[in-house]
Amino acid sequence: MKENIILVDCDGVLCDWEYSFTQYMNHKGFPTHDASQYNVAKRFNLVPEAGKKFVSEFNDSAAIAFLPPLRDSVYYIKRLNMLHGYKFHCITSLSTNRYAQKLRIQNLELLFGKEVWDDFIFLPCGADKDEELKKYEGTECFWVEDKPENAEVGEKFGLNSILVAHEHNAYYDGDIPRYWKWKDIYKHITGES
């Protein structure tokens, strides 16, 4: 399995969920309070329950079908697939709503192509990924994530975790490599310099 599978989160890794969600919240009349916050309630100065409600509402909306790609992800995901034969398993804590799941698949296939994907694994909104990552234990697959806690879980299970750099994970000072661009993730995976 480790030879040709790359595990990826979606939001903040493949797609720019943060940009689209910020537009959504601003349109609803909630200005951004602190852009460095990963926690939506803190980012928009809301009570915690309201933050979770808006994330669930957004993730179940048609907006999920139209997320833009994150930075240079399209070019380098396609290169990893076409030039190096990698297939991708997307592990995403989106929603249990099957229509939202279909919209996510549609969005990813339109951005990256159908041939890139080998599996889509959907978890409830905000759910931990521990149980899904455990299924890949010892495979040494690459695991690309933007949340340090999830990247650390991958390391615990013998995966090769990589963090996508964001303002919300700038505090991370552990051993997992952290890259801003997919160009650098591509070089890390392929061993090119």
Side-chain angles (χ1 to χ4, degrees):
M1 182 182 288
K2 72 176 186 169
E3 297 300 320
N4 65 348
I5 298 295
I6 297 175
L7 310 174
V8 287
D9 178 28
C10 182
D11 300 315
V13 172
L14 303 171
C15 296
D16 197 344
W17 182 92
E18 188 176 308
Y19 169 80
S20 296
F21 183 72
T22 298
Q23 300 305 309
Y24 175 80
M25 291 298 285
N26 293 166
H27 181 73
K28 285 186 162 291
F30 297 99
T32 306
H33 174 70
D34 184 353
S36 69
Q37 290 290 330
Y38 181 78
N39 181 296
V40 168
K42 291 179 182 176
R43 180 179 285 257
F44 294 98
N45 200 23
L46 305 167
V47 296
E49 298 76 34
K52 290 176 185 175
K53 174 187 152 290
F54 282 121
V55 170
S56 291
E57 184 181 284
F58 178 77
N59 282 0
D60 283 341
S61 77
I64 283 303
F66 302 99
L67 298 184
L70 183 73
R71 304 173 193 144
D72 57 347
S73 60
V74 171
Y75 180 77
Y76 288 100
I77 293 280
K78 286 183 176 187
R79 284 182 71 86
L80 284 164
N81 174 252
M82 290 188 292
L83 299 180
H84 301 278
Y86 283 104
K87 291 283 197 170
F88 291 80
H89 290 192
C90 181
I91 304 173
T92 177
S93 299
L94 174 74
S95 173
T96 56
N97 180 315
R98 65 186 174 113
Y99 298 108
Q101 293 172 1
K102 293 213 179 282
L103 291 175
R104 163 127 302 162
I105 291 170
Q106 175 185 311
N107 186 219
L108 292 175
E109 288 180 343
L110 283 171
L111 291 175
F112 300 97
K114 290 183 179 187
E115 65 283 348
V116 165
W117 306 105
D118 200 42
D119 200 5
F120 294 98
I121 300 155
F122 292 99
L123 302 170
C125 183
D128 290 334
K129 297 177 179 165
D130 302 43
E131 288 303 312
E132 287 304 320
L133 292 173
K134 187 169 178 38
K135 294 175 183 174
Y136 296 92
E137 187 170 9
T139 62
E140 299 180 20
C141 286
F142 287 102
W143 163 229
V144 187
E145 170 66 81
D146 69 315
K147 188 175 176 184
E149 295 81 1
N150 287 338
E152 294 281 356
V153 168
E155 287 285 310
K156 180 178 88 174
F157 292 131
L159 303 176
N160 290 303
S161 294
I162 300 170
L163 270 173
V164 176
H166 288 275
E167 194 173 345
H168 67 253
N169 64 24
Y171 67 88
Y172 180 74
D173 63 354
D175 295 331
I176 296 172
R178 187 174 166 270
Y179 300 109
W180 181 260
K181 293 185 175 187
W182 264 93
K183 177 180 182 179
D184 298 316
I185 295 170
Y186 174 86
K187 288 179 178 180
H188 179 90
I189 289 171
T190 61
E192 297 177 17
S193 52

